[in-house]
């Protein structure tokens, strides 16, 4: 089984001590930090914007995986490309997804395209040559702590085949409801990276302990 990266999402972290929570992820062995930017338009929730992202950039050396859940992402990607390794935008949020992916790459970051649960793979098939990453939402976006939709893992498997058969290099990232009990199944479906929010930031164990449990689950399933 391929090596799978863990990308803790700060959406369920303690926002009152966010810099400490970010450092805990880095010290706990996270590969990536996932940052959910929501505008209250594309999704109902509002989280944070580029000022907070830039402040957190000073708190950690982890690569930033920015998830723009915003309407008209072409107006915002420029705020994030200088501080992020990857900027991800929703195909549902723009009429010109390839243009936005190009803007991200020209800004110096890798370009990711995201799919909501109800959006078919056909919506991004023509964009795969321009994408460095495809994020499959396994929940409806907007809130942390939701339960993974098992049917979306079949979409991940079909995407894996589409990428492999087409010779595309894009990574697959799963976002939504990733837990210890389903991490190995997500990896087996074809994921290269797993966004993990409430499974990392919770009151049951430390960030490091939760990351170790996810690593153990992935190892046991390989």
């Amino acid at each position: 089984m391929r090596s799978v990266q863990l990308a803790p999402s700060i959406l369920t972290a303690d926002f009152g001590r966010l810099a400490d929570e970010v450092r805990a992820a880095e010290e706990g062995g996270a590969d990536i930090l996932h940052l959910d930017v929501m505008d209250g338009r594309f999704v109902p929730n509002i989280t944070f914007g580029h000022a907070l992202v830039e402040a957190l950039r000073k708190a950690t050396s982890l690569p930033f995986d920015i998830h723009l859940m915003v309407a008209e992402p072409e107006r915002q990607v420029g705020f994030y490309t200088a501080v992020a390794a990857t900027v991800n935008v929703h195909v549902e949020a723009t009429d010109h997804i390839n243009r936005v992916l190009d803007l991200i790459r020209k800004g110096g970051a890798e370009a990711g395209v995201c799919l909501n649960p109800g959006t078919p793979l056909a919506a991004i098939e023509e964009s795969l040559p321009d994408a460095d990453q495809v994020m499959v939402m396994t929940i409806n976006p907007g809130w942390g702590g939701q339960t993974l939709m098992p049917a979306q893992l079949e979409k991940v498997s079909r995407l894996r085949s589409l990428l492999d058969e087409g010779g595309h290099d894009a990574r697959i990232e799963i976002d939504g409801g990733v837990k210890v009990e389903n991490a190995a199944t997500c990896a087996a479906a074809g994921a290269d990276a797993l966004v993990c929010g409430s499974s990392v930031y919770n009151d049951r164990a430390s960030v490091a302990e939760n990351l170790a449990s996810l690593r153990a689950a992935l190892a046991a399933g390989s």
Side-chain angles (χ1 to χ4, degrees):
M1 188 178 293
R2 64 177 43 83
S3 176
V4 177
Q5 294 187 309
L6 295 180
S9 167
I10 64 168
L11 192 59
T12 53
D14 181 350
F15 273 42
R17 44 187 299 272
L18 206 46
D20 291 337
E21 295 276 63
V22 167
R23 283 189 284 266
E26 182 170 11
E27 293 167 2
D31 301 295
I32 307 163
L33 193 71
H34 188 81
L35 303 168
D36 292 301
V37 177
M38 307 183 194
D39 66 351
R41 293 177 60 203
F42 182 70
V43 293
N45 197 11
I46 297 174
T47 52
F48 48 79
H50 60 91
L52 184 139
V53 173
E54 289 172 355
L56 291 180
R57 182 66 285 166
K58 302 172 185 176
T60 178
S61 61
L62 285 174
F64 281 4
D65 183 50
I66 307 290
H67 182 186
L68 293 183
M69 285 175 266
V70 303
E72 299 177 284
E74 56 271 22
R75 300 179 61 183
Q76 296 203 36
V77 293
F79 292 122
Y80 300 99
T81 51
V83 295
T86 309
V87 178
N88 305 276
V89 295
H90 276 262
V91 67
E92 305 90 354
T94 178
D95 293 327
H96 304 287
I97 186 62
N98 288 48
R99 181 186 299 169
V100 183
L101 297 177
D102 186 55
L103 284 173
I104 294 169
R105 284 177 154 183
K106 285 180 176 176
E110 292 192 329
V113 59
C114 313
L115 284 168
N116 281 340
T119 303
L121 291 177
I124 63 160
E125 191 167 355
E126 302 302 323
S127 302
L128 292 178
D130 299 313
D132 299 295
Q133 177 166 279
V134 180
M135 182 191 299
V136 177
M137 297 299 300
T138 46
I139 59 170
N140 287 306
W143 306 96
Q146 299 183 58
T147 300
L148 182 145
M149 300 175 176
Q152 294 303 308
L153 295 183
E154 192 273 331
K155 180 193 285 186
V156 173
S157 296
R158 286 188 286 117
L159 174 59
R160 180 80 271 161
S161 296
L162 187 63
L163 291 171
D164 292 346
E165 291 168 9
H168 302 296
D169 295 327
R171 303 179 301 275
I172 298 176
E173 184 172 61
I174 287 179
D175 185 0
V178 173
K179 309 289 184 187
V180 167
E181 54 267 27
N182 61 30
T185 304
C186 290
D192 299 292
L194 303 178
V195 176
C196 34
S198 58
S199 57
V200 169
Y201 290 109
N202 57 54
D203 295 329
R204 298 186 297 275
S206 71
V207 169
E209 290 168 337
N210 287 328
L211 284 167
S213 296
L214 286 163
R215 295 270 187 217
L218 288 169
S222 62

